[in-house]
Amino acid sequence: MDTLTPHGGILDMLATATLTVKFVLAILVVMSLASWSIIFLKLFTLSTARKEAARDSKLFQESENLKLAMRAVSQHKGSPCYAVGLQAFEELMRMEEADLDPAEKSRVAMDNIRRTLRQAVASELGMLTKSLSFLATCANATPFIGLFGTVWGIMNSFHSIGLQQSAALAAVAPGISEALVATAIGLGVAIPATLAYNFFLGYIRHIERELIGFSGAFLNRIQREVSWSHKPQPRPEAQKPAPRVREDY
């Protein structure tokens, strides 16, 4: 640790830092701990969700009918496909019991199920992106928080120059190096948070594609397998007889 700094260890420098710089460093340490906790948690949850979405989307499309497909997906209740499919299936059951004209039921059901699928996908993506905003905050804010500590430390160093009436490097260097530690730690928090945020966005885009594909397969199955979902074709209007022209004119 001592070899990383020109004058003693980092702990020695922090012990002699001003109260403001210590407060800034404490904020950065707390944000770093929270950031790494979110990184490890998201690494596990998003990789699991990605595998489950790909697997259940394939299971759903390969099943013989809608009920068997939902039964296959329900084996993995933590999967995002199960959450999306369950809401759409419940809406389908509600529409099946609705007392509506078949043509009206077909139109309303497909619109309702399409909206339900869209809302369910958005809800799942919202849950998966939860806490990512904190990583974005760490990526953007921590360099400036560290810079604030550095600026404050350098201000104190110049104040010491005035009190000691000496601008010798030995008098100001310790204070400046203490101040620069704040910027270094701020960057140390921001860089992994930025990399993790961008990496997780790629994971979420992949899961979103799987859920959109699953929603399309769900709608296709309804149109193929649910009889009342086929909208009846309107009957052609009876051709009216041409008006007869009176011949006595």
Side-chain angles (χ1 to χ4, degrees):
M1 184 74 71
D2 291 347
T3 58
L4 297 176
T5 58
H7 301 287
I10 290 180
L11 294 179
D12 293 336
M13 290 196 320
L14 297 181
T16 57
T18 63
L19 186 61
T20 303
V21 175
K22 287 179 181 176
F23 181 69
V24 167
L25 293 177
I27 292 175
L28 293 175
V29 169
V30 171
M31 293 182 76
S32 177
L33 291 175
S35 173
W36 278 106
S37 300
I38 292 171
I39 289 171
F40 284 119
L41 180 64
K42 286 294 176 186
L43 194 61
F44 173 74
T45 56
L46 291 181
S47 60
T48 303
R50 179 180 175 179
K51 291 176 185 174
E52 289 181 337
R55 178 198 58 205
D56 292 340
S57 181
K58 186 178 179 183
L59 280 177
F60 186 87
Q61 296 184 42
E62 291 177 349
S63 298
E64 293 181 7
N65 55 53
L66 182 59
K67 287 188 177 179
L68 290 178
M70 284 304 300
R71 190 174 300 167
V73 173
S74 66
Q75 300 297 320
H76 315 100
K77 296 189 184 301
S79 167
C81 287
Y82 172 71
V84 172
L86 179 63
Q87 293 187 44
F89 192 76
E90 289 176 348
E91 181 62 26
L92 175 65
M93 294 297 102
R94 284 192 287 270
M95 291 307 304
E96 204 164 44
E97 297 171 358
D99 186 17
L100 294 173
D101 178 75
E104 184 69 10
K105 180 187 281 191
S106 170
R107 185 186 63 80
V108 174
M110 295 309 292
D111 288 346
N112 283 12
I113 293 170
R114 191 174 287 108
R115 275 195 299 270
T116 302
L117 286 168
R118 193 180 302 124
Q119 291 168 358
V121 169
S123 174
E124 286 300 306
L125 292 177
M127 291 177 62
L128 292 173
T129 55
K130 193 176 180 181
S131 304
L132 285 188
S133 58
F134 185 80
L135 289 183
T137 302
C138 288
N140 292 324
T142 51
F144 294 102
I145 295 174
L147 185 62
F148 171 76
T150 298
V151 171
W152 191 271
I154 291 175
M155 283 171 55
N156 280 333
S157 296
F158 280 108
H159 184 67
S160 299
I161 292 173
L163 291 178
Q164 296 177 10
Q165 296 183 349
S166 171
L169 186 60
V172 298
I176 294 176
S177 62
E178 290 166 10
L180 290 176
V181 169
T183 297
I185 294 178
L187 292 175
V189 179
I191 291 171
T194 304
L195 295 176
Y197 180 78
N198 292 327
F199 179 73
F200 292 147
L201 282 186
Y203 257 55
I204 290 171
R205 279 196 287 268
H206 185 87
I207 296 170
E208 183 180 12
R209 285 195 295 272
E210 292 288 350
L211 293 180
I212 290 174
F214 176 82
S215 301
F218 196 100
L219 288 172
N220 291 342
R221 274 198 177 277
I222 291 176
Q223 289 185 325
R224 281 199 308 267
E225 301 174 17
V226 180
S227 58
W228 51 263
S229 68
H230 303 290
K231 186 176 180 179
Q233 296 295 324
R235 293 181 179 178
E237 294 183 359
Q239 190 172 7
K240 296 181 180 178
R244 299 181 61 182
V245 180
R246 295 179 61 180
E247 297 178 352
D248 51 349
Y249 281 96

